Amino acid sequence: MLSVAVATFNSSRLRKQLFVGFACLVMLLFVACGSSRSSENGMPQPDFTLTLSSSSLSITAGSTQNLTVNATAINGFTGTITVSPSGLPAGVTASPSTLSLSPGMPQSTTLTAAATAASGNATVTLTGTSASLSHTASLALTVKPAQSAPGVDATTYHFDNARDGLNANETTLTPSNVNSATFGKINFLAADGKIDAEPLYLSQLTVNGSAHNVLYVASEHDSVYAFDADTGTVLWQISLLQSGETTSDDHGCGQITPEIGITSTLVIDRNLGAIFVVAMSKDGNGGYHQRLHALNLATGAEMEGGPTEISASYPGSGYGSHNGTQTFAPGQYAERVGLLLMNGSIFLGWTSHCDIDPYTGWLMMYNETTLQQTSVLNLTPNGPSTPHFNNGEGSIWMAGSGLAGDTQGNIYFLDANGSFDTTLDGNGFPAQGDFGNAFMKVSTANNKLTAADYFSTFNTVSQSSSDLDLGSGGVLLLPDVTDSSGTTRHLAVGAGKDGNIYVVDRDNMGKFNASSNNIYQQLTHVMSGEFGMPAYFNGTVYYGSINSKLQAFTLQSGKLGVTPSSQTSISFTYPGTTPGISANGTKNGIVWAIENTSPAVLHAYDATSLATELYNSNQAANGRDQFGNGNKFITPLIINGKVFVGTPNGVAVFGLLH
């Protein structure tokens, strides 16, 4: 019995000891729970957690990144939390360096990496404190080496789809340093044929593993070049002639001679990595070809299954048609106007060789990612066979300037002499769809080319018959202007062979009236014939017509001044000049113009007064800056401190002398 009692006693004592030990363990665990432990009255203590918008972040030296910090309340916490970083690598700072957070109200700090910040990885700790409470959050920060930021690009004719010819981001060339003492010819990039297309330019493009400023040049020998724009090194060169082909002959026409290959200015889509070009060639059987190519910007390789053979047909019973159809004959045409890239489509306009019949006016639309044709518009499909200049025709010349495009997807151009139907339909459009010698607006809505509006002179038929058409000049879309009544106007300006400047309201172009020109503004006989296009800067339009002085016409209350606000002292021989402009914003404007003489001359004028010539390439002694004979199509490209001028055998490069 005694032994049983002792055993029972010991068992009871053991249970008590175990209970007491378990209770102590629970209390110890409860006390050790930090922010979740109970207060003296047994209630949970208020606390917070700290979170970041991202647990990892990359920042490039010379740039910034934002980091957001948030606090979440626990158990009714309402205090203010002070957050500060630690562990920032050398060269990286936070602003503000300290944050004061309230729960549920996130704040951001900006991390800035100096241009000299060393690359590498670091763990940055964000510590938040409030009274005795403290919590942290970690950020894995990667600092990347500095990269050369892309500068200004020139991806299309005359810089943009408005065709204003203005580079407003030129920070190197100024009226004070463009003179023969400090500026001149610094290089010449040889090519295998005439350069009729305006060169294009991409800044800091990776080619062969290194970043280059790249100049793209196309020749009439059907070659495309990518030059390092700074050294002149050929990065790549490609011929677009297929096996057994040559460039086209000039068809006995002196306008593009002695060979026809690539005439129109190319267009670039940097995001797609492609440069688009139309090339003409002739095969061994005497057949002519027009092809649309998409070339890789870095290698010149064909992309998107290209090239695409260009062909087209359109309903029409006029001159040159067969069984109610007009058919595009590649040998009868040249792609002379600069390509237009807009809303994922490439647009082509076609001209004849001199006035060698039969031909009509063709506008074509291609998808840029498939190179497949999506729409065609013939501008003179039903023109009769007589008289001359009214028998179809109506090609798109524009002296090599580009088709213009607005932000709504409309195309603008000047159609050359050809059939125009003076009998109009109920909407005021030519009844047979013949728009010869017209200022055109074409819609691309629903991927279909449709005549949307137009202007034609009251004497359009006689102008066409006399070869005094609009089609010799190009179109410039002006920025929005406010007229004298306070109305915002969307204007376009164009001129042709008759010496008039026509300003149209793009929302109501005026159409045709047999008695008078129903137009926004007309400046009559203010210049000789226009065989190029104007440029625009700071409310001023600059025109350089044939055998005439380069003139500035200033916009006032939404209209051009009827007399030039300034002009050059010299006149420009045939075909006149198509100016380009460089400026830094609205300052340091320089108007650049080429004189088509032998030797050719590059001129630079103060944009505020064309009477002030800053430089010309004949000024330096011993012919230092001369660059060969003139080339009538070329427009100067001014970019990144250099001026590029196409010639009959390459590109002359001008810049600051070292």
Side-chain angles (χ1 to χ4, degrees):
M1 291 295 293
L2 180 61
S3 61
V4 172
V6 170
T8 301
F9 173 79
N10 289 338
S11 175
S12 174
R13 185 171 63 182
L14 179 62
R15 284 197 299 272
K16 289 180 180 179
Q17 289 174 339
L18 289 173
F19 176 79
V20 171
F22 178 75
C24 290
L25 178 62
V26 170
M27 289 297 294
L28 287 171
L29 290 173
F30 199 71
V31 168
C33 286
S35 62
S36 297
R37 64 178 180 259
S38 297
S39 60
E40 291 182 358
N41 61 11
M43 298 297 292
Q45 180 175 323
D47 209 339
F48 66 90
T49 60
L50 201 64
T51 57
L52 306 178
S53 56
S54 177
S55 61
S56 62
L57 205 61
S58 293
I59 185 171
T60 300
S63 66
T64 62
Q65 287 277 20
N66 287 330
L67 178 69
T68 301
V69 186
N70 191 24
T72 302
I74 298 175
N75 301 328
F77 177 86
T78 58
T80 299
I81 305 158
T82 301
V83 180
S84 58
S86 61
L88 288 170
V92 179
T93 57
S95 179
S97 58
T98 301
L99 301 175
S100 294
L101 292 183
S102 296
M105 299 180 66
Q107 292 188 31
S108 293
T109 184
T110 300
L111 301 180
T112 300
T116 56
S119 58
N121 300 316
T123 299
V124 179
T125 301
L126 283 296
T127 302
T129 59
S130 180
S132 62
L133 300 176
S134 178
H135 296 287
T136 62
S138 294
L139 171 71
L141 181 65
T142 299
V143 180
K144 295 182 178 181
Q147 298 176 352
S148 298
V152 182
D153 292 339
T155 61
T156 191
Y157 178 84
H158 239 202
F159 261 101
D160 54 31
N161 287 353
R163 310 306 187 191
D164 56 30
L166 170 64
N167 174 11
N169 296 287
E170 177 53 56
T171 59
T172 300
L173 301 178
T174 69
S176 62
N177 62 24
V178 174
N179 57 71
S180 59
T182 58
F183 178 88
K185 189 179 72 172
I186 58 175
N187 206 347
F188 189 89
L189 312 178
D192 59 7
K194 287 182 65 177
I195 310 302
D196 283 331
E198 182 183 9
L200 299 178
Y201 184 104
L202 290 182
S203 62
Q204 294 300 295
L205 180 76
T206 300
V207 180
N208 298 324
S210 301
H212 299 265
N213 293 323
V214 183
L215 186 77
Y216 294 93
V217 176
S219 78
E220 291 287 3
H221 199 63
D222 268 331
S223 292
V224 180
Y225 298 80
F227 291 97
D228 184 298
D230 300 314
T231 66
T233 302
V234 178
L235 301 173
W236 56 259
Q237 175 188 355
I238 187 170
S239 173
L240 300 186
L241 294 171
Q242 295 194 1
S243 178
E245 291 185 346
T246 64
T247 53
S248 169
D249 57 287
D250 64 11
H251 293 256
C253 174
Q255 292 172 341
I256 309 172
T257 190
E259 60 181 343
I260 305 175
I262 304 169
T263 306
S264 60
T265 298
L266 291 62
V267 69
I268 291 172
D269 187 332
R270 183 164 186 157
N271 292 330
L272 194 63
I275 184 167
F276 299 92
V277 54
V278 172
M280 185 177 187
S281 61
K282 187 177 183 180
D283 62 33
N285 297 318
Y288 293 94
H289 301 269
Q290 303 278 2
R291 298 188 183 98
L292 174 62
H293 302 255
L295 306 179
N296 184 286
L297 288 169
T299 66
E302 295 276 1
M303 297 175 60
E304 301 162 0
T308 291
E309 193 86 22
I310 293 171
S311 62
S313 61
Y314 193 85
S317 57
Y319 187 54
S321 65
H322 182 69
N323 294 330
T325 299
Q326 294 282 0
T327 301
F328 178 79
Q332 282 295 99
Y333 297 90
E335 217 293 328
R336 180 169 170 178
V337 297
L339 304 185
L340 171 65
L341 170 61
M342 184 170 61
N343 299 332
S345 292
I346 306 292
F347 300 93
L348 318 177
W350 299 90
T351 187
S352 62
H353 306 285
C354 291
D355 293 307
I356 302 173
D357 289 325
Y359 65 92
T360 51
W362 293 91
L363 184 68
M364 299 180 188
M365 178 179 183
Y366 283 79
N367 183 289
E368 72 161 325
T369 57
T370 66
L371 297 187
Q372 297 304 301
Q373 190 179 93
T374 52
S375 187
V376 173
L377 177 64
N378 192 297
L379 299 157
T380 50
N382 297 301
S385 58
T386 55
H388 188 51
F389 290 134
N390 291 307
N391 54 348
E393 303 192 349
S395 59
I396 307 174
W397 296 87
M398 299 209 307
S401 57
L403 298 166
D406 66 17
T407 55
Q408 289 73 47
N410 298 302
I411 305 170
Y412 299 84
F413 57 93
L414 296 172
D415 194 56
N417 42 344
S419 297
F420 181 84
D421 309 322
T422 56
T423 300
L424 308 179
D425 64 17
N427 295 315
F429 285 78
Q432 299 299 314
D434 295 317
F435 289 92
N437 191 31
F439 199 140
M440 293 298 303
K441 174 182 179 179
V442 174
S443 168
T444 65
N446 302 314
N447 287 326
K448 182 176 176 59
L449 295 171
T450 308
D453 202 357
Y454 74 98
F455 161 72
S456 193
T457 61
F458 75 95
N459 56 342
T460 182
V461 174
S462 63
Q463 280 193 326
S464 281
S465 298
S466 302
D467 197 19
L468 289 174
D469 55 293
L470 294 173
S472 62
V475 172
L476 189 157
L477 307 186
L478 295 174
D480 291 356
V481 299
T482 303
D483 67 15
S484 58
S485 68
T487 303
T488 299
R489 299 285 187 173
H490 311 110
L491 305 178
V493 60
K497 299 175 186 175
D498 63 6
N500 301 334
I501 296 177
Y502 298 98
V503 185
V504 298
D505 186 330
R506 304 197 313 259
D507 301 321
N508 181 15
M509 294 179 67
K511 299 186 174 64
F512 171 73
N513 184 303
S515 302
S516 61
N517 291 335
N518 181 21
I519 192 173
Y520 177 79
Q521 185 186 13
Q522 177 176 326
L523 277 64
T524 304
H525 301 314
V526 292
M527 60 184 186
S528 55
E530 175 66 9
F531 287 80
M533 74 164 297
Y536 173 86
F537 171 65
N538 259 15
T540 301
V541 175
Y542 300 86
Y543 260 111
S545 58
I546 181 173
N547 297 321
S548 179
K549 298 176 180 181
L550 179 61
Q551 299 173 306
F553 295 90
T554 302
L555 283 163
Q556 299 173 339
S557 299
K559 292 195 173 183
L560 291 178
V562 296
T563 57
S565 55
S566 68
Q567 60 185 15
T568 60
S569 61
I570 69 161
S571 295
F572 289 79
T573 186
Y574 176 82
T577 188
T578 292
I581 301 175
S582 63
N584 186 3
T586 59
K587 300 178 180 179
N588 295 333
I590 302 174
V591 180
W592 303 83
I594 300 168
E595 193 177 354
N596 184 33
T597 49
S598 180
V601 184
L602 172 66
H603 296 265
Y605 297 97
D606 189 323
T608 62
S609 174
L610 295 178
T612 302
E613 184 177 49
L614 305 171
Y615 165 86
N616 75 63
S617 55
N618 278 345
Q619 289 174 337
N622 303 315
R624 184 196 70 188
D625 297 341
Q626 292 181 356
F627 55 98
N629 293 337
N631 193 25
K632 66 178 182 180
F633 284 159
I634 202 64
T635 301
L637 172 67
I638 314 97
I639 190 167
N640 200 22
K642 295 182 175 65
V643 182
F644 300 95
V645 179
T647 77
N649 58 350
V651 176
V653 185
F654 293 80
L656 297 180
L657 303 173
H658 300 292

